[in-house]
Amino acid sequence: MHCQRSDFRSGCSARNATALRKARSGARSLGKAGLHCQKCTSAAPGRRKVYVVPVRFVLACESGHLDEFPWHWWVGHREGCNNKRYLKLESRQAGLAGLVLSCSECGSAKSMDGIFSKETWRKFSTCAGRRPWLAGGHQDCAHHPRATQRGASNLYFPVIESALSIPPWSDRLQEALGVYWEPIVNVVEGRSTFIATLATTVLASVLTELDMSPDELATEIERRVRQEEGIDVDNLRGEEYRQFTGGTYVQGLDREFEIRPQKVPDGLRPWFSRLVKVTRLREVRAMTGFTRIHPLGEGATEKAKIFLSNPGWLPAIEVRGEGVFLEFDRQAIEEWENRSEVKARAARIDQRLNDEWLERHGTGSEPPRAISARFLLVHTFAHALMRQLTLDCGYSSTALRERLYVSEGDMRGVLIYTATTDDDGTLGGLQRQGDPERIVRTIVAAVQSQAWCSSDPLCIEDMLVPEDGLSLAACHSCVLSPETSCEEFNRFLDRATLVGTPASAEVGFFRQILSGGA
């Protein structure tokens, strides 16, 4: 029996803030120095201390609000009961049905069975709009909250914006100028004169480092300003894709981005048109907010704020690493995605996404995206390749990440890279796999490993489809990866797009590899 109370922060009736902090940190020494319930201890035989444990249930809503579980509403006190403080939560048998909440004064009791059902909470009042991570930041909210567990994966979805440092932002010149870049760029007229006046003072060390004269520096800055004007800052992924597919080495002054295009080996030409070794890259990841219950764009339409007011900065990290970029052949992928069987599989996931969106938001709004066969193929291939690279390179599965470049008619590539804060980011083993003779073996092995799953035939026959229906032939035994490695939280995957199905081998883009055509 565990003593618990109606507070998601601790397990009993302590109100003191210091005691609550001790309760949260007391998990390390619970049983000796942890917080105990005075009432339960006084009633225990021999006054044996009854220690509190964290209550695992909380309320959350799609707008990101978080609240205590309504224990007294759930137990349903009998008429005339004035107990609004102490309740008992007992584990009598396995499962939620065996977890019983009771009131010792009126005798009312109810199991926790059905606590996670959406229908249960339609009877509850609307969300209180609490944001305990922001002082005094509560809101009005029209959503019905839902119960979830403190450690549940859907309780917190960070909204991360990431970008690779690509020219012109990553080059040595801009790094050397540092804080002087903006003042120089903001000078519209007489930029050369302005640089010349600073050449003997604050810019003297910069000119020495770059080995440039003031006129050469002014010319180079002018060139970069013109280059930046042609960049779509709202579509940085498109700019990254153009860098990878430019067909030229990027090195020299650039310290943070270096790529080495390779000749696509004959064994991969039927499926790929470009191979690039990324020997050096820098990624910046910034957290702009978070959502609960659903990831942003797939159910959640707005993200919860992490600040009450805009401080002018965001929590972010920068990591450095390496990788391999592959571009699918345009003709091959267009021919494949126009097959009726392929369209049908993609349409199933896309329809499920539409139905889920309409269920939550009604008919007045359109889903933010469409799931195409091309996206399923590129995404599933990225997962298969990551799994194989962990075997070939020795990297941990959490050290590799995918970066998808997919759009109708234009982008059709994937970057598998390592960008971590430890030594896994720059060991060199991953980019070495981009050598033509190595990448053939890796891709062939990755595809062949997907031909059979230990959960087959259930997996390949779509009988293990997750509850949300946003993947088809995909499970932990074949293509699912750590969620930190996947941009889509392990959704929108279909192993059949790689290897086909027993009933239709034509669905598989790489079917020739399985038949010995590689």
Side-chain angles (χ1 to χ4, degrees):
M1 182 180 72
H2 298 289
C3 178
Q4 298 183 331
R5 75 159 187 135
S6 57
D7 190 330
F8 66 85
R9 297 168 297 179
S10 68
C12 201
S13 58
R15 299 183 187 179
N16 185 275
T18 302
L20 289 176
R21 288 194 293 271
K22 290 181 179 178
R24 288 194 287 271
S25 62
R28 298 189 299 268
S29 56
L30 196 61
K32 290 187 177 181
L35 186 68
H36 66 277
C37 173
Q38 294 180 356
K39 182 177 180 179
C40 295
T41 297
S42 62
R47 296 183 62 84
R48 177 181 58 84
K49 288 186 178 181
V50 179
Y51 292 93
V52 299
V53 296
V55 176
R56 69 177 191 246
F57 303 115
V58 296
L59 284 190
C61 87
E62 297 176 6
S63 292
H65 301 129
L66 190 68
D67 205 349
E68 297 182 11
F69 186 86
W71 300 100
H72 293 282
W73 174 83
W74 183 263
V75 75
H77 292 286
R78 294 177 182 175
E79 186 175 355
C81 180
N82 295 320
N83 178 22
K84 299 299 180 184
R85 191 173 182 186
Y86 290 103
L87 297 175
K88 183 183 294 184
L89 186 62
E90 295 179 283
S91 180
R92 298 178 181 176
Q93 61 185 32
L96 289 175
L99 196 59
V100 179
L101 180 68
S102 61
C103 174
S104 58
E105 294 193 14
C106 69
S108 180
K110 186 177 181 181
S111 77
M112 306 303 287
D113 191 30
I115 189 176
F116 299 126
S117 171
K118 290 191 294 184
E119 297 301 323
T120 298
W121 297 99
R122 295 187 188 279
K123 309 170 188 177
F124 189 68
S125 60
T126 56
C127 176
R130 290 189 62 193
R131 298 188 293 181
W133 65 95
L134 297 175
H138 303 333
Q139 294 178 307
D140 294 330
C141 182
H143 286 109
H144 286 282
R146 291 175 55 179
T148 183
Q149 299 194 70
R150 288 185 298 113
S153 61
N154 67 344
L155 187 59
Y156 177 77
F157 292 102
V159 180
I160 304 294
E161 298 289 344
S162 71
L164 301 181
S165 292
I166 59 175
W169 290 290
S170 65
D171 60 31
R172 181 183 172 194
L173 181 145
Q174 196 157 333
E175 282 188 4
L177 285 173
V179 296
Y180 303 115
W181 171 263
E182 288 295 333
I184 293 174
V185 170
N186 290 334
V187 175
V188 180
E189 299 291 339
R191 185 176 293 148
S192 298
T193 304
F194 179 67
I195 293 175
T197 58
L198 299 178
T200 57
T201 55
V202 295
L203 291 183
S205 60
V206 174
L207 293 171
T208 301
E209 178 183 350
L210 298 175
D211 192 20
M212 288 182 173
S213 67
D215 290 339
E216 290 174 335
L217 178 60
T219 301
E220 194 62 26
I221 290 176
E222 192 67 35
R223 186 182 68 83
R224 280 163 170 74
V225 170
R226 289 196 302 269
Q227 189 176 7
E228 286 188 11
E229 290 174 353
I231 292 177
D232 182 4
V233 294
D234 295 326
N235 184 24
L236 291 180
R237 193 151 297 199
E239 297 297 330
E240 294 172 11
Y241 186 75
R242 277 189 281 276
Q243 289 287 338
F244 287 124
T245 58
T248 59
Y249 284 73
V250 177
Q251 54 184 348
L253 285 177
D254 197 313
R255 288 176 171 175
E256 303 291 358
F257 186 79
E258 184 176 333
I259 61 176
R260 299 177 182 178
Q262 305 293 306
K263 180 182 178 181
V264 178
D266 293 338
L268 297 180
R269 285 191 180 278
W271 307 283
F272 297 98
S273 59
R274 197 176 304 275
L275 168 65
V276 180
K277 293 172 60 174
V278 184
T279 56
R280 183 181 294 119
L281 62 81
R282 170 179 172 267
E283 182 190 19
V284 178
R285 304 172 193 160
M287 179 180 175
T288 61
F290 64 90
T291 64
R292 304 193 193 278
I293 310 301
H294 305 288
L296 184 66
E298 312 303 343
T301 56
E302 58 179 341
K303 56 189 175 184
K305 295 181 178 180
I306 53 178
F307 300 108
L308 279 176
S309 58
N310 185 6
W313 58 272
L314 291 170
I317 62 171
E318 61 176 25
V319 289
R320 290 168 173 81
E322 54 182 314
V324 177
F325 175 83
L326 286 158
E327 182 185 43
F328 284 74
D329 182 77
R330 178 188 295 273
Q331 182 178 352
I333 202 170
E334 288 180 352
E335 177 187 345
W336 172 83
E337 64 188 354
N338 286 324
R339 295 173 185 161
S340 58
E341 301 93 337
V342 173
K343 288 182 177 180
R345 294 189 70 87
R348 287 173 57 185
I349 296 179
D350 188 54
Q351 185 60 49
R352 180 67 187 100
L353 182 62
N354 290 341
D355 293 343
E356 189 179 75
W357 181 269
L358 293 176
E359 180 184 349
R360 295 194 185 101
H361 306 287
T363 57
S365 60
E366 294 292 330
R369 64 191 296 189
I371 303 302
S372 65
R374 176 179 300 195
F375 185 85
L376 287 180
L377 170 64
V378 176
H379 189 202
T380 309
F381 172 75
H383 278 234
L385 186 57
M386 282 192 292
R387 291 172 72 95
Q388 187 61 37
L389 285 170
T390 60
L391 301 176
D392 293 347
C393 303
Y395 287 105
S396 64
S397 59
T398 55
L400 300 184
R401 295 171 64 93
E402 67 180 5
R403 196 165 184 84
L404 307 176
Y405 299 90
V406 183
S407 65
E408 294 300 322
D410 297 323
M411 297 193 294
R412 53 192 186 281
V414 59
L415 170 68
I416 304 299
Y417 68 105
T418 171
T420 62
T421 54
D422 59 15
D423 290 341
D424 275 2
T426 54
L427 289 177
L430 182 57
Q431 61 90 15
R432 193 176 297 116
Q433 289 302 122
D435 293 339
E437 64 277 7
R438 294 174 181 266
I439 196 66
V440 174
R441 296 195 300 267
T442 299
I443 291 179
V444 170
V447 173
Q448 290 178 340
S449 69
Q450 298 301 316
W452 179 256
C453 170
S454 59
S455 297
D456 281 341
L458 300 179
C459 179
I460 197 64
E461 294 289 351
D462 308 334
M463 298 179 69
L464 297 180
V465 173
E467 183 179 354
D468 58 14
L470 298 180
S471 289
L472 292 179
C475 70
H476 285 284
S477 299
C478 50
V479 295
L480 296 190
S481 297
E483 288 196 355
T484 54
S485 301
C486 178
E487 293 187 325
E488 300 291 344
F489 299 101
N490 271 330
R491 300 166 304 161
F492 314 124
L493 296 164
D494 184 10
R495 181 165 59 96
T497 59
L498 303 181
V499 298
T501 67
S504 178
E506 297 298 311
V507 173
F509 183 76
F510 297 102
R511 65 194 179 281
Q512 294 179 15
I513 290 181
L514 301 180
S515 61

